[in-house]
Amino acid sequence: MTRKLKLLFILDPLDGLKAYKDSSIAMMRAAAARGHAVWTTQRGALAWRDGAVSARALPIHPLAGDAPWYAPAGAEQALSLAEFDAVLMRQDPPFDF
């Protein structure tokens, strides 16, 4: 049995992504199709406090169409990044603010 992962994608604003050309959406769709949990956040929602990094993150269900391409899978939550199996930075440049 394959272990299901909890993945966090750090992205540009979700409504600005284009499903027909964005590789991040393709990655999220592929992960969800394999049963992995897909969460999203933006750079501005990251915080470092007391030596730990956290983020306000939103769980989503990627959809097959271009618009809308996702549906929320729950409420936004403040979570430690340590709770995720992987964190993928997928923000368009400039990403070195």
Side-chain angles (χ1 to χ4, degrees), residues 7-93:
L7 305 173
L8 177 65
F9 289 80
I10 302 171
L11 303 164
D12 291 319
L14 297 180
D15 293 333
L17 301 179
K18 306 293 185 216
Y20 66 90
K21 70 174 186 171
D22 197 296
S23 61
S24 297
I25 294 173
M27 292 172 66
M28 290 184 283
R29 285 175 172 164
R34 288 165 177 77
H36 303 302
V38 175
W39 291 70
T40 65
T41 193
Q42 294 177 25
R43 183 183 45 82
L46 298 170
W48 178 338
R49 177 178 236 153
D50 299 325
V53 180
S54 64
R56 291 183 324 277
L58 177 70
I60 65 165
H61 288 300
L63 304 175
D66 284 343
W69 66 265
Y70 73 96
E76 184 178 80
Q77 299 175 42
L79 299 171
S80 167
L81 268 58
E83 294 184 41
F84 295 94
D85 294 295
V87 177
L88 298 97
M89 177 67 133
R90 301 290 303 169
Q91 185 178 3
D92 280 339

